PDB file of all heavy atoms in Angstrom:
ATOM      1  N   TRP A   1      97.147  91.935  89.530  1.00  0.00           N
ATOM      2  CA  TRP A   1      97.404  93.141  90.316  1.00  0.00           C
ATOM      3  C   TRP A   1      97.214  92.879  91.810  1.00  0.00           C
ATOM      4  O   TRP A   1      98.062  93.244  92.623  1.00  0.00           O
ATOM      5  CB  TRP A   1      96.483  94.265  89.825  1.00  0.00           C
ATOM      6  CG  TRP A   1      96.577  95.555  90.583  1.00  0.00           C
ATOM      7  CD1 TRP A   1      95.594  96.144  91.327  1.00  0.00           C
ATOM      8  CD2 TRP A   1      97.710  96.432  90.675  1.00  0.00           C
ATOM      9  NE1 TRP A   1      96.027  97.317  91.880  1.00  0.00           N
ATOM     10  CE2 TRP A   1      97.337  97.518  91.489  1.00  0.00           C
ATOM     11  CE3 TRP A   1      98.998  96.385  90.146  1.00  0.00           C
ATOM     12  CZ2 TRP A   1      98.205  98.560  91.782  1.00  0.00           C
ATOM     13  CZ3 TRP A   1      99.864  97.425  90.448  1.00  0.00           C
ATOM     14  CH2 TRP A   1      99.474  98.493  91.260  1.00  0.00           C
ATOM     15  N   ARG A   2      96.118  92.217  92.178  1.00  0.00           N
ATOM     16  CA  ARG A   2      95.891  91.896  93.592  1.00  0.00           C
ATOM     17  C   ARG A   2      96.963  90.943  94.111  1.00  0.00           C
ATOM     18  O   ARG A   2      97.336  90.989  95.286  1.00  0.00           O
ATOM     19  CB  ARG A   2      94.506  91.282  93.794  1.00  0.00           C
ATOM     20  CG  ARG A   2      93.356  92.256  93.629  1.00  0.00           C
ATOM     21  CD  ARG A   2      92.064  91.662  94.182  1.00  0.00           C
ATOM     22  NE  ARG A   2      91.715  90.398  93.539  1.00  0.00           N
ATOM     23  CZ  ARG A   2      90.969  90.300  92.446  1.00  0.00           C
ATOM     24  NH1 ARG A   2      90.485  91.385  91.870  1.00  0.00           N
ATOM     25  NH2 ARG A   2      90.694  89.111  91.933  1.00  0.00           N
ATOM     26  N   GLY A   3      97.445  90.065  93.215  1.00  0.00           N
ATOM     27  CA  GLY A   3      98.477  89.114  93.626  1.00  0.00           C
ATOM     28  C   GLY A   3      99.794  89.761  93.984  1.00  0.00           C
ATOM     29  O   GLY A   3     100.665  89.123  94.586  1.00  0.00           O
ATOM     30  N   ARG A   4      99.958  91.037  93.632  1.00  0.00           N
ATOM     31  CA  ARG A   4     101.172  91.760  94.004  1.00  0.00           C
ATOM     32  C   ARG A   4     101.129  92.239  95.456  1.00  0.00           C
ATOM     33  O   ARG A   4     102.158  92.641  96.008  1.00  0.00           O
ATOM     34  CB  ARG A   4     101.374  92.968  93.091  1.00  0.00           C
ATOM     35  CG  ARG A   4     101.579  92.608  91.650  1.00  0.00           C
ATOM     36  CD  ARG A   4     101.726  93.822  90.754  1.00  0.00           C
ATOM     37  NE  ARG A   4     103.038  94.476  90.867  1.00  0.00           N
ATOM     38  CZ  ARG A   4     104.150  94.011  90.325  1.00  0.00           C
ATOM     39  NH1 ARG A   4     104.130  92.880  89.661  1.00  0.00           N
ATOM     40  NH2 ARG A   4     105.285  94.684  90.437  1.00  0.00           N
ATOM     41  N   SER A   5      99.961  92.227  96.054  1.00  0.00           N
ATOM     42  CA  SER A   5      99.823  92.775  97.407  1.00  0.00           C
ATOM     43  C   SER A   5     100.096  91.712  98.463  1.00  0.00           C
ATOM     44  O   SER A   5     100.085  90.506  98.180  1.00  0.00           O
ATOM     45  CB  SER A   5      98.423  93.358  97.605  1.00  0.00           C
ATOM     46  OG  SER A   5      97.444  92.341  97.499  1.00  0.00           O
ATOM     47  N   ILE A   6     100.334  92.162  99.676  1.00  0.00           N
ATOM     48  CA  ILE A   6     100.550  91.247 100.800  1.00  0.00           C
ATOM     49  C   ILE A   6      99.272  90.436 101.026  1.00  0.00           C
ATOM     50  O   ILE A   6      98.185  91.011 101.102  1.00  0.00           O
ATOM     51  CB  ILE A   6     100.889  92.029 102.086  1.00  0.00           C
ATOM     52  CG1 ILE A   6     102.135  92.892 101.873  1.00  0.00           C
ATOM     53  CG2 ILE A   6     101.083  91.084 103.267  1.00  0.00           C
ATOM     54  CD1 ILE A   6     102.405  93.861 103.007  1.00  0.00           C
ATOM     55  N   PRO A   7      99.363  89.112 101.120  1.00  0.00           N
ATOM     56  CA  PRO A   7      98.143  88.316 101.329  1.00  0.00           C
ATOM     57  C   PRO A   7      97.531  88.564 102.703  1.00  0.00           C
ATOM     58  O   PRO A   7      98.240  88.851 103.675  1.00  0.00           O
ATOM     59  CB  PRO A   7      98.633  86.871 101.193  1.00  0.00           C
ATOM     60  CG  PRO A   7     100.098  86.932 101.493  1.00  0.00           C
ATOM     61  CD  PRO A   7     100.570  88.274 101.013  1.00  0.00           C
ATOM     62  N   ALA A   8      96.218  88.443 102.767  1.00  0.00           N
ATOM     63  CA  ALA A   8      95.508  88.658 104.030  1.00  0.00           C
ATOM     64  C   ALA A   8      95.869  87.602 105.066  1.00  0.00           C
ATOM     65  O   ALA A   8      95.599  87.788 106.267  1.00  0.00           O
ATOM     66  CB  ALA A   8      94.006  88.659 103.785  1.00  0.00           C
ATOM     67  N   SER A   9      96.472  86.485 104.627  1.00  0.00           N
ATOM     68  CA  SER A   9      96.855  85.416 105.548  1.00  0.00           C
ATOM     69  C   SER A   9      98.193  85.663 106.231  1.00  0.00           C
ATOM     70  O   SER A   9      98.598  84.868 107.096  1.00  0.00           O
ATOM     71  CB  SER A   9      96.922  84.087 104.790  1.00  0.00           C
ATOM     72  OG  SER A   9      97.858  84.166 103.726  1.00  0.00           O
ATOM     73  N   ARG A  10      98.914  86.735 105.868  1.00  0.00           N
ATOM     74  CA  ARG A  10     100.230  87.002 106.452  1.00  0.00           C
ATOM     75  C   ARG A  10     100.137  87.138 107.977  1.00  0.00           C
ATOM     76  O   ARG A  10      99.241  87.801 108.510  1.00  0.00           O
ATOM     77  CB  ARG A  10     100.809  88.290 105.858  1.00  0.00           C
ATOM     78  CG  ARG A  10     102.113  88.798 106.471  1.00  0.00           C
ATOM     79  CD  ARG A  10     103.307  87.987 106.058  1.00  0.00           C
ATOM     80  NE  ARG A  10     103.469  87.997 104.619  1.00  0.00           N
ATOM     81  CZ  ARG A  10     104.061  88.990 103.937  1.00  0.00           C
ATOM     82  NH1 ARG A  10     104.544  90.045 104.569  1.00  0.00           N
ATOM     83  NH2 ARG A  10     104.179  88.899 102.626  1.00  0.00           N
ATOM     84  N   GLN A  11     101.077  86.516 108.682  1.00  0.00           N
ATOM     85  CA  GLN A  11     101.129  86.621 110.138  1.00  0.00           C
ATOM     86  C   GLN A  11     101.171  88.088 110.570  1.00  0.00           C
ATOM     87  O   GLN A  11     102.009  88.856 110.097  1.00  0.00           O
ATOM     88  CB  GLN A  11     102.375  85.917 110.680  1.00  0.00           C
ATOM     89  CG  GLN A  11     102.363  84.410 110.558  1.00  0.00           C
ATOM     90  CD  GLN A  11     103.650  83.806 111.095  1.00  0.00           C
ATOM     91  OE1 GLN A  11     104.506  84.487 111.636  1.00  0.00           O
ATOM     92  NE2 GLN A  11     103.794  82.507 110.939  1.00  0.00           N
ATOM     93  N   GLY A  12     100.255  88.472 111.457  1.00  0.00           N
ATOM     94  CA  GLY A  12     100.261  89.810 112.039  1.00  0.00           C
ATOM     95  C   GLY A  12      99.817  90.920 111.113  1.00  0.00           C
ATOM     96  O   GLY A  12      99.972  92.097 111.445  1.00  0.00           O
ATOM     97  N   ILE A  13      99.224  90.582 109.946  1.00  0.00           N
ATOM     98  CA  ILE A  13      98.916  91.629 108.979  1.00  0.00           C
ATOM     99  C   ILE A  13      97.811  92.562 109.464  1.00  0.00           C
ATOM    100  O   ILE A  13      97.837  93.765 109.190  1.00  0.00           O
ATOM    101  CB  ILE A  13      98.541  91.019 107.599  1.00  0.00           C
ATOM    102  CG1 ILE A  13      98.450  92.106 106.523  1.00  0.00           C
ATOM    103  CG2 ILE A  13      97.259  90.218 107.697  1.00  0.00           C
ATOM    104  CD1 ILE A  13      99.711  92.880 106.300  1.00  0.00           C
ATOM    105  N   ARG A  14      96.832  92.042 110.202  1.00  0.00           N
ATOM    106  CA  ARG A  14      95.760  92.906 110.685  1.00  0.00           C
ATOM    107  C   ARG A  14      96.293  93.971 111.614  1.00  0.00           C
ATOM    108  O   ARG A  14      95.963  95.156 111.482  1.00  0.00           O
ATOM    109  CB  ARG A  14      94.685  92.044 111.372  1.00  0.00           C
ATOM    110  CG  ARG A  14      93.507  92.832 111.946  1.00  0.00           C
ATOM    111  CD  ARG A  14      92.927  93.834 110.990  1.00  0.00           C
ATOM    112  NE  ARG A  14      92.579  93.251 109.694  1.00  0.00           N
ATOM    113  CZ  ARG A  14      92.271  93.942 108.627  1.00  0.00           C
ATOM    114  NH1 ARG A  14      92.331  95.266 108.641  1.00  0.00           N
ATOM    115  NH2 ARG A  14      91.961  93.343 107.494  1.00  0.00           N
ATOM    116  N   GLN A  15      97.154  93.572 112.553  1.00  0.00           N
ATOM    117  CA  GLN A  15      97.740  94.553 113.468  1.00  0.00           C
ATOM    118  C   GLN A  15      98.617  95.544 112.707  1.00  0.00           C
ATOM    119  O   GLN A  15      98.628  96.740 113.019  1.00  0.00           O
ATOM    120  CB  GLN A  15      98.568  93.836 114.554  1.00  0.00           C
ATOM    121  CG  GLN A  15      97.759  92.949 115.481  1.00  0.00           C
ATOM    122  CD  GLN A  15      97.608  91.537 114.949  1.00  0.00           C
ATOM    123  OE1 GLN A  15      97.725  91.287 113.742  1.00  0.00           O
ATOM    124  NE2 GLN A  15      97.327  90.601 115.852  1.00  0.00           N
ATOM    125  N   ALA A  16      99.332  95.047 111.685  1.00  0.00           N
ATOM    126  CA  ALA A  16     100.192  95.936 110.902  1.00  0.00           C
ATOM    127  C   ALA A  16      99.369  96.970 110.151  1.00  0.00           C
ATOM    128  O   ALA A  16      99.734  98.159 110.109  1.00  0.00           O
ATOM    129  CB  ALA A  16     101.032  95.110 109.920  1.00  0.00           C
ATOM    130  N   LEU A  17      98.264  96.560 109.561  1.00  0.00           N
ATOM    131  CA  LEU A  17      97.416  97.499 108.838  1.00  0.00           C
ATOM    132  C   LEU A  17      96.827  98.547 109.777  1.00  0.00           C
ATOM    133  O   LEU A  17      96.699  99.725 109.413  1.00  0.00           O
ATOM    134  CB  LEU A  17      96.291  96.749 108.114  1.00  0.00           C
ATOM    135  CG  LEU A  17      96.717  95.889 106.916  1.00  0.00           C
ATOM    136  CD1 LEU A  17      95.522  95.123 106.361  1.00  0.00           C
ATOM    137  CD2 LEU A  17      97.365  96.731 105.830  1.00  0.00           C
ATOM    138  N   GLU A  18      96.472  98.131 110.982  1.00  0.00           N
ATOM    139  CA  GLU A  18      95.961  99.097 111.965  1.00  0.00           C
ATOM    140  C   GLU A  18      97.034 100.123 112.316  1.00  0.00           C
ATOM    141  O   GLU A  18      96.760 101.325 112.420  1.00  0.00           O
ATOM    142  CB  GLU A  18      95.489  98.361 113.218  1.00  0.00           C
ATOM    143  CG  GLU A  18      94.225  97.540 113.002  1.00  0.00           C
ATOM    144  CD  GLU A  18      93.848  96.726 114.221  1.00  0.00           C
ATOM    145  OE1 GLU A  18      94.592  96.783 115.234  1.00  0.00           O
ATOM    146  OE2 GLU A  18      92.827  96.010 114.169  1.00  0.00           O
ATOM    147  N   THR A  19      98.267  99.649 112.487  1.00  0.00           N
ATOM    148  CA  THR A  19      99.370 100.562 112.790  1.00  0.00           C
ATOM    149  C   THR A  19      99.613 101.530 111.641  1.00  0.00           C
ATOM    150  O   THR A  19      99.877 102.715 111.850  1.00  0.00           O
ATOM    151  CB  THR A  19     100.655  99.763 113.090  1.00  0.00           C
ATOM    152  OG1 THR A  19     100.432  98.899 114.204  1.00  0.00           O
ATOM    153  CG2 THR A  19     101.818 100.686 113.401  1.00  0.00           C
ATOM    154  N   LEU A  20      99.511 101.011 110.410  1.00  0.00           N
ATOM    155  CA  LEU A  20      99.749 101.831 109.223  1.00  0.00           C
ATOM    156  C   LEU A  20      98.544 102.701 108.859  1.00  0.00           C
ATOM    157  O   LEU A  20      98.636 103.551 107.972  1.00  0.00           O
ATOM    158  CB  LEU A  20     100.084 100.933 108.030  1.00  0.00           C
ATOM    159  CG  LEU A  20     101.416 100.184 108.093  1.00  0.00           C
ATOM    160  CD1 LEU A  20     101.473  99.109 107.015  1.00  0.00           C
ATOM    161  CD2 LEU A  20     102.582 101.148 107.941  1.00  0.00           C
ATOM    162  N   ARG A  21      97.428 102.444 109.550  1.00  0.00           N
ATOM    163  CA  ARG A  21      96.174 103.157 109.267  1.00  0.00           C
ATOM    164  C   ARG A  21      95.743 102.955 107.810  1.00  0.00           C
ATOM    165  O   ARG A  21      95.335 103.873 107.104  1.00  0.00           O
ATOM    166  CB  ARG A  21      96.307 104.650 109.589  1.00  0.00           C
ATOM    167  CG  ARG A  21      96.695 104.916 111.042  1.00  0.00           C
ATOM    168  CD  ARG A  21      96.901 106.397 111.316  1.00  0.00           C
ATOM    169  NE  ARG A  21      97.341 106.616 112.692  1.00  0.00           N
ATOM    170  CZ  ARG A  21      98.612 106.620 113.069  1.00  0.00           C
ATOM    171  NH1 ARG A  21      99.554 106.416 112.175  1.00  0.00           N
ATOM    172  NH2 ARG A  21      98.942 106.834 114.329  1.00  0.00           N
ATOM    173  N   ILE A  22      95.859 101.704 107.388  1.00  0.00           N
ATOM    174  CA  ILE A  22      95.476 101.284 106.041  1.00  0.00           C
ATOM    175  C   ILE A  22      94.381 100.229 106.159  1.00  0.00           C
ATOM    176  O   ILE A  22      94.450  99.338 107.016  1.00  0.00           O
ATOM    177  CB  ILE A  22      96.688 100.696 105.287  1.00  0.00           C
ATOM    178  CG1 ILE A  22      97.768 101.751 105.094  1.00  0.00           C
ATOM    179  CG2 ILE A  22      96.277 100.099 103.953  1.00  0.00           C
ATOM    180  CD1 ILE A  22      97.449 102.806 104.073  1.00  0.00           C
ATOM    181  N   GLY A  23      93.368 100.310 105.300  1.00  0.00           N
ATOM    182  CA  GLY A  23      92.264  99.364 105.403  1.00  0.00           C
ATOM    183  C   GLY A  23      92.539  98.020 104.764  1.00  0.00           C
ATOM    184  O   GLY A  23      92.142  96.987 105.292  1.00  0.00           O
ATOM    185  N   TYR A  24      93.196  98.030 103.595  1.00  0.00           N
ATOM    186  CA  TYR A  24      93.427  96.799 102.839  1.00  0.00           C
ATOM    187  C   TYR A  24      94.879  96.761 102.366  1.00  0.00           C
ATOM    188  O   TYR A  24      95.479  97.795 102.077  1.00  0.00           O
ATOM    189  CB  TYR A  24      92.510  96.727 101.616  1.00  0.00           C
ATOM    190  CG  TYR A  24      91.048  96.922 101.920  1.00  0.00           C
ATOM    191  CD1 TYR A  24      90.450  98.175 101.760  1.00  0.00           C
ATOM    192  CD2 TYR A  24      90.262  95.867 102.363  1.00  0.00           C
ATOM    193  CE1 TYR A  24      89.100  98.365 102.037  1.00  0.00           C
ATOM    194  CE2 TYR A  24      88.919  96.045 102.641  1.00  0.00           C
ATOM    195  CZ  TYR A  24      88.339  97.292 102.482  1.00  0.00           C
ATOM    196  OH  TYR A  24      87.018  97.462 102.768  1.00  0.00           O
ATOM    197  N   THR A  25      95.411  95.548 102.260  1.00  0.00           N
ATOM    198  CA  THR A  25      96.797  95.429 101.797  1.00  0.00           C
ATOM    199  C   THR A  25      96.947  95.970 100.377  1.00  0.00           C
ATOM    200  O   THR A  25      98.006  96.467 100.016  1.00  0.00           O
ATOM    201  CB  THR A  25      97.268  93.965 101.847  1.00  0.00           C
ATOM    202  OG1 THR A  25      96.406  93.145 101.041  1.00  0.00           O
ATOM    203  CG2 THR A  25      97.259  93.429 103.273  1.00  0.00           C
ATOM    204  N   GLN A  26      95.873  95.886  99.563  1.00  0.00           N
ATOM    205  CA  GLN A  26      95.956  96.383  98.192  1.00  0.00           C
ATOM    206  C   GLN A  26      96.233  97.882  98.150  1.00  0.00           C
ATOM    207  O   GLN A  26      96.816  98.389  97.187  1.00  0.00           O
ATOM    208  CB  GLN A  26      94.657  96.089  97.427  1.00  0.00           C
ATOM    209  CG  GLN A  26      94.441  94.618  97.106  1.00  0.00           C
ATOM    210  CD  GLN A  26      93.738  93.875  98.233  1.00  0.00           C
ATOM    211  OE1 GLN A  26      93.630  94.391  99.350  1.00  0.00           O
ATOM    212  NE2 GLN A  26      93.251  92.685  97.942  1.00  0.00           N
TER     213      GLN A  26
END
């Protein structure tokens, strides 16, 4: 199930999560 989510290593994912107001890719 976790493997279906965007990996934390994805380029720019931290900034994207902040924009989306989401804490975790899961």
Side-chain angles (χ1 to χ4, degrees):
W1 177 244
R2 289 194 302 271
R4 297 178 75 76
S5 63
I6 302 171
S9 59
R10 174 74 59 82
Q11 291 179 5
I13 190 60
R14 179 48 53 192
Q15 295 88 337
L17 290 176
E18 290 175 359
T19 301
L20 292 167
R21 302 177 183 89
I22 297 287
Y24 307 97
T25 58
Q26 289 87 347

